[in-house]
Amino acid sequence: MAGKHRKHPCAAYVMLFMLIGLIGWFSGQQGKTSHGMSVWVSEKVVEVVDCEAKLELHDKQFRRLVHYLDKPIRKSAHLIEYALAGGILYAIVSCYVGRGWKRIGMVIVLLAVLGGIDELHQLFVLGRDGKW
């Protein structure tokens, strides 16, 4: 690619800032609200599985499955958020940093900074706490 000019990744910056805003909004939810959102998503997942698999779960079974899936669904949401951020950051960093491990290392550092800022933000939200 010598001699070619790389395009400025304006769309990637817009997507990154929108995603950071979304992450910040989720992190800014009070503890009970945040937990309620993840329980709601877990309930919807269990409803779909129950309907599609024709399990005909009783209320106690339904609640137990919702409780069981709550944490994995919450962690999966974090994984998806940061995977998207990593992909967007990779697109941005690739315009400035050479190939290989330097590029990947820069993305990892930037993701760690983003995660650290997110956890710091949660220290100031009622019912939430930042965790390393």
Side-chain angles (χ1 to χ4, degrees), residues 34-98:
S34 175
H35 179 69
M37 286 190 309
S38 68
V39 167
W40 180 82
V41 171
S42 298
E43 288 173 345
K44 297 304 170 195
V45 168
V46 172
E47 285 175 10
V48 169
V49 169
D50 186 29
C51 181
E52 293 300 318
K54 297 178 178 46
L55 299 176
E56 298 179 8
L57 296 173
H58 299 289
D59 189 55
K60 188 174 181 180
Q61 294 169 320
F62 181 87
R63 290 282 150 221
R64 184 178 292 144
L65 192 52
V66 167
H67 176 73
Y68 178 76
L69 290 177
D70 181 50
K71 190 170 185 174
I73 286 175
R74 181 180 285 262
K75 297 303 175 187
S76 295
H78 283 99
L79 180 70
I80 291 167
E81 287 173 338
Y82 282 90
L84 286 171
I88 296 168
L89 282 169
Y90 188 85
I92 293 170
V93 168
S94 67
C95 293
Y96 305 105
V97 178

Side-chain angles (χ1 to χ4, degrees), residues 7-27:
K7 292 184 179 181
H8 192 69
C10 186
Y13 279 111
V14 170
M15 290 189 314
L16 180 64
F17 287 119
M18 288 174 62
L19 182 58
I20 289 171
L22 183 65
I23 291 170
W25 182 79
F26 281 129
S27 292

